[in-house]
Amino acid sequence: MKKLFFTLTLIALSTFISYSQDLSNPQGGGRLNIESITPGDGYSKMNFQGDIAVYGRVFASIKLSSGNSSKTSGTLSGQARTILHDGTFLSSPLNGSWKRSGVTIRFYFIDDVSNGAMNFVIWDVDILGEVAFVKYYELHSSN
């Protein structure tokens, strides 16, 4: 019985280690400018444009919905489009969460790029600076 338990523990541990994600080294990133912010009743829409490594020119529209009365966290949904340097057009839905601290909002989401790639993505959005700094961590490469 001890041998079986030890074997199952090793299998579980090796599975966890093989699927863990190193968040200290993003595979890429870039900078997006805030093009507009449109307030709504319980939400705000934000539009972004800029360059992201490997993905070229990126255009994104994101709706932030408040999760509490202090408007310090909530959910996000949106769409992104990108045009690679070779003219390839890609798209991705964006769904995740956000957390605000002062004038900075941090977005967390997993994208599902139309070329088959899947990334865990973090944006640090500086509202007053009108800029978002993007980091992504590849979960699955493109087809």
Side-chain angles (χ1 to χ4, degrees):
M1 185 67 162
K2 284 185 179 181
K3 192 173 187 180
L4 177 62
F5 178 74
F6 180 73
T7 303
L8 290 175
T9 302
L10 280 177
I11 290 171
L13 184 60
S14 66
T15 300
F16 174 75
I17 291 170
S18 67
Y19 287 106
S20 66
Q21 184 67 41
D22 179 11
L23 296 181
S24 63
N25 295 310
Q27 275 78 33
R31 176 185 165 136
L32 301 176
N33 294 318
I34 299 174
E35 297 295 315
S36 67
I37 300 175
T38 306
D41 187 17
Y43 68 90
S44 292
K45 286 188 178 180
M46 302 177 78
N47 292 300
F48 300 86
Q49 178 179 227
D51 293 312
I52 301 294
V54 180
Y55 287 98
R57 179 58 59 139
V58 173
F59 304 89
S61 181
I62 297 178
K63 179 180 179 180
L64 304 176
S65 298
S66 298
N68 57 43
S69 61
S70 62
K71 298 180 178 24
T72 57
S73 64
T75 60
L76 67 84
S77 62
Q79 292 287 323
R81 304 289 184 265
T82 182
I83 300 173
L84 304 180
H85 298 294
D86 67 0
T88 303
F89 181 79
L90 301 173
S91 62
S92 178
L94 309 174
N95 293 290
S97 301
W98 61 270
K99 181 83 172 156
R100 182 180 62 81
S101 178
V103 299
T104 302
I105 304 174
R106 181 168 267 192
F107 297 172
Y108 303 93
F109 59 87
I110 295 176
D111 65 11
D112 181 20
V113 186
S114 58
N115 66 356
M118 191 175 287
N119 303 294
F120 174 64
V121 186
I122 299 173
W123 291 19
D124 288 311
V125 182
D126 177 353
I127 298 298
L128 295 180
E130 300 181 350
V131 65
F133 298 98
V134 177
K135 297 181 285 193
Y136 69 86
Y137 306 85
E138 187 175 80
L139 302 174
H140 297 284
S141 59
S142 62
N143 297 331

